[in-house]
Amino acid sequence: MATPNIRVFPDLAALTAAAKQFVLEQATGAIAQGGQFTLALAGGNTPKPLYESLVSADTPWSQWHIFWGDERYVPLDHPDSNAGMAFQAWLNHVPIPKNQIHPMPTADADPQTAADRYEQTLRQTFGIREGEFPRFDLILLGMGPDGHTASLFPHTAALTVGDRLITVGNKDGQARLTFTVPLINHARQILFLVTGANKQTALRHIFGGTGDPHLYPARLITGNALWFLDQAAAEGVVQNA
Ligand SMILES: O=C(O)[C@H](O)[C@@H](O)[C@H](O)[C@H](O)COP(=O)(O)O
């Protein structure tokens, strides 16, 4: 792996403040350049304080377009819903036009149908044809202790899907929807938000380029990535952390 671009913060609060500033800077640049900001959200726990902090941001919300990089296959009002969390923490409290917020569909009996549906949403929104990949201005990602990111879990079929934008992920038999590796790698900017000592082992393999990439799927993310780590995650992994 090329030398990763890493910033270490003393705690979640400091990481969140820096992430808020970074997201708003990316939004300002994208809006200045192209009149819109296309952002894909991460799920899990780490980004929730970031989403809560964005409620107070002073930014042209009417030019933001929100997507999700992955979703558990549950209804929006289910406690596990990534979209449900982001709506409660942030999106219900800011004036982004509702037709510019695109939760992943989870009502189809067959998750593959839902994946295809979301893929069409991306193609229509970005105005791209089959075989083309949209270039998100920013994709937020977390990482699990097993090195998964989005819903790209170790040794699952989703890791090898190279000709689609969206595919069906699998966590212990539970269906997920997820961005594919090539879609993520096409982003202008990727920002990983990783906290907790239980991430050290995976980070060591990912930054060290060791072990089977399919055992640590975040290694497959070779695009323009910046890593925000808290001290607990960076301990013993990053020099002088
Ligand atoms: O749907 C999800 O669960 C997330 O998208 C997942 O990829 C998450 O980012 C990691 O599991 C890290 O989660 P934490 O931030 O809670 O450690």
Side-chain angles (χ1 to χ4, degrees):
M1 171 183 231
T3 307
N5 189 351
I6 302 167
R7 293 182 201 165
V8 180
F9 300 91
D11 53 29
L12 176 60
L15 181 149
T16 297
K20 176 181 180 180
Q21 181 180 346
F22 186 82
V23 169
L24 292 174
E25 286 167 357
Q26 294 295 306
T28 302
I31 291 166
Q33 187 179 16
Q36 66 176 21
F37 177 48
T38 55
L39 171 63
L41 303 184
N45 303 311
T46 301
K48 186 173 181 182
L50 166 61
Y51 302 156
E52 290 167 338
S53 75
L54 284 168
V55 171
S56 63
D58 177 15
T59 181
W61 290 120
S62 63
Q63 290 164 289
W64 286 52
H65 296 255
I66 305 295
F67 303 81
W68 276 263
D70 75 312
E71 185 57 274
R72 293 83 180 273
Y73 210 67
V74 295
L76 196 59
D77 60 359
H78 189 284
D80 289 348
S81 169
N82 287 336
M85 180 271 278
F87 273 110
Q88 288 161 21
W90 169 32
L91 299 172
N92 286 338
H93 312 292
V94 295
I96 299 176
K98 288 291 171 266
N99 66 354
Q100 292 173 202
I101 302 176
H102 307 278
M104 288 180 152
T106 57
D108 292 284
D110 176 7
Q112 186 58 57
T113 303
D116 296 343
R117 189 190 304 276
Y118 202 63
E119 180 145 339
Q120 283 316 312
T121 297
L122 292 185
R123 293 199 183 290
Q124 285 154 10
T125 310
F126 282 86
I128 55 168
R129 296 186 302 274
E130 281 292 327
E132 294 179 324
F133 286 87
R135 190 174 298 282
F136 278 85
D137 293 311
L138 178 59
I139 297 179
L140 299 178
L141 292 173
M143 190 197 75
D146 60 358
H148 83 261
T149 190
S151 282
L152 299 164
F153 288 90
H155 293 306
T156 56
L159 301 185
T160 59
V161 175
D163 60 350
R164 312 287 301 175
L165 307 182
I166 307 296
T167 194
V168 178
N170 181 312
K171 178 183 183 181
D172 305 332
Q174 296 297 314
R176 300 277 194 99
L177 298 182
T178 186
F179 277 14
T180 59
V181 169
L183 174 55
I184 294 171
N185 284 333
H186 267 75
R188 285 197 178 82
Q189 180 69 59
I190 299 159
L191 176 61
F192 278 96
L193 306 174
V194 181
T195 60
N198 64 349
K199 313 287 177 74
Q200 288 173 13
T201 300
L203 288 172
R204 205 169 284 118
H205 283 288
I206 291 160
F207 294 156
T210 56
D212 174 356
H214 284 202
L215 185 57
Y216 299 101
R219 272 190 66 190
L220 300 171
I221 307 308
T222 55
N224 181 32
L226 173 59
W227 294 74
F228 280 11
L229 312 180
D230 72 352
Q231 181 69 32
E235 194 82 43
V237 178
V238 179
Q239 297 300 330
N240 310 321

